[in-house]
Amino acid sequence: LPGLKIGLAGYFGKSQSTLFNGLNETDTFAAAQADSSVVNISMLGIDFRYQKQGFEARGQLVNTSVGNSIEYNSFTGNDIGSRQFGYYLEAGYDVLKLTKVNNDKGLVLFCRYENYNTHKDTAGELTINNAYNRTDITLGASFKLANGAVLKTDYQILKNAITNSKSDRQINFGVGVWF
């Protein structure tokens, strides 16, 4: 399909811990502490981009498993989930394509829906915390000044999955340069 790009990515590894620095390997207690400060990470993602004339669409889906989370949470006092999941879908249209002017500028009006949940699953006695299940809706505009330079603004509605929680709203402004 002309204009469609699809990507697939994965990451499999462990987080790092300074507790291993200078560790005496015969000290089993220190070794157990160091092991508890590390999590195993398995991440798979798929993304796409599609562009045809003035229409643009993109999206991404990522699933992450976190191993050793029980030990990590017990050691650090944190509440990291054992599974994380998120995705977004975005669509936009370059309204300058409607004009007969043919230049390297563009004005893309876009909307994005995203959901990311860093507590999709938990291990052990840790209960799922819906404050970590976030949904964001973004409406915005990107003005392409030249090839590799853009001004952006957007309005976001940010909400979590806690029943009767109030949504936050914010306005963002940005400058992007790609060289």
Side-chain angles (χ1 to χ4, degrees), residues 50-88:
Y50 178 72
Q51 189 170 5
K52 183 170 182 173
Q53 298 169 345
F55 177 74
E56 300 176 4
R58 67 188 72 188
Q60 185 176 56
L61 182 135
V62 177
N63 185 62
T64 304
S65 294
V66 179
N68 204 41
S69 62
I70 295 171
E71 294 82 357
Y72 179 84
N73 290 336
S74 177
F75 178 69
T76 63
N78 290 329
D79 64 347
I80 189 171
S82 61
R83 182 166 169 242
Q84 303 168 357
F85 180 81
Y87 67 94
Y88 80 88

Side-chain angles (χ1 to χ4, degrees), residues 146-164:
N147 194 17
V150 65
L151 296 175
K152 293 185 87 170
T153 185
D154 61 54
Y155 175 75
Q156 290 187 299
I157 302 167
L158 315 167
K159 188 164 177 57
N160 64 37
I162 295 176
T163 305
N164 298 323

